[in-house]
Amino acid sequence: MAHFSAISCVCKALLKSLEDSCPKSEFMGTPAFEIYQTESFTATPPTVVTEGFTIFPWRILPNAQLRNRTVRRDPALPPKRPSLAVDIHLLATPWASEPERQLRLLGWMMRHFEDRPQLDANFLNSSPTSGGSCFLPDEMVELVCDPLAIADLLGLWD
C-alpha cells in the first residue's frame, strides 16, 4: 500500500519524467518544472513559469470503479484492509514565451505521456520526496488522458 505522500510522489515523478526527456533546445533559457497550487494562478504578481512545465493537481478523489478490492495478505503479517485506489486529475501545462513554441511543447508533452502510460514503483520511488519507499514493488500508476467536460473546464478557470 502506498505511503500517504504518494500523491506528492506522483506529481514529482511526472515532473522528473518531463525534465529528463524534454527537448531542451526548444527553450530560450533554463526551463522550470513546478507543481502549482491555486495561489500560483492568483498571486500578485502572478507566479507563472515563463519557460517550462507545470503540473496542477486540481481534483483528487477515490476511484469509483475500484471499490471491492480484496484484503491484502502477507504471510508474515496479519491481513490488512484493501488499498485505496485514487484518481488524481492533473492539469499539465507547457509554458513558453512564444505561442508556436508553446504548442510544440504541448504536442511533445502529450506524446511523452502517451508513450509512457504506466509509472512503476521503481520510477515513482526515485522521486526526491518519496524517501525511496513510497510505493511497494508491485504498485504502479496508470496515466489516462481524460478530456475535461466543459463545466469542469469553466469551473477550473473560475
Side-chain angles (χ1 to χ4, degrees):
M1 179 168 85
H3 192 261
F4 64 82
S5 64
I7 295 168
S8 172
C9 239
V10 168
C11 291
K12 292 299 280 186
L14 286 173
L15 284 176
K16 181 180 181 337
S17 175
L18 289 171
E19 186 173 3
D20 291 348
S21 305
C22 82
K24 302 224 177 10
S25 61
E26 286 288 333
F27 295 101
M28 298 299 284
T30 304
F33 300 85
E34 297 181 16
I35 298 174
Y36 266 24
Q37 59 184 354
T38 306
E39 288 78 22
S40 302
F41 295 104
T42 60
T44 307
T47 57
V48 175
V49 168
T50 55
E51 296 271 330
F53 294 90
T54 59
I55 290 182
F56 174 54
W58 68 277
R59 185 173 167 189
I60 302 168
L61 60 154
N63 183 292
Q65 283 76 35
L66 299 176
R67 289 299 204 180
N68 296 327
R69 303 191 63 156
T70 59
V71 174
R72 292 179 294 121
R73 298 191 185 276
D74 183 339
L77 300 171
K80 293 183 181 179
R81 294 185 62 184
S83 298
L84 174 64
V86 176
D87 289 339
I88 307 169
H89 296 252
L90 302 170
L91 179 65
T93 309
W95 300 90
S97 55
E98 298 170 2
E100 184 180 337
R101 188 160 20 117
Q102 188 168 332
L103 291 172
R104 285 195 309 268
L105 290 170
L106 175 63
W108 173 83
M109 181 181 69
M110 291 173 73
R111 177 81 266 160
H112 178 73
F113 287 150
E114 181 68 20
D115 290 344
R116 188 172 193 159
Q118 296 178 339
L119 305 175
D120 64 9
N122 287 334
F123 182 76
L124 292 164
N125 288 335
S126 69
S127 165
T129 58
S130 74
S133 60
C134 192
F135 288 87
L136 294 176
D138 62 338
E139 294 179 316
M140 57 159 243
V141 169
E142 183 178 4
L143 302 179
V144 177
C145 181
D146 188 18
L148 291 176
I150 297 296
D152 287 339
L153 183 61
L154 294 174
L156 179 63
W157 291 115
D158 279 345

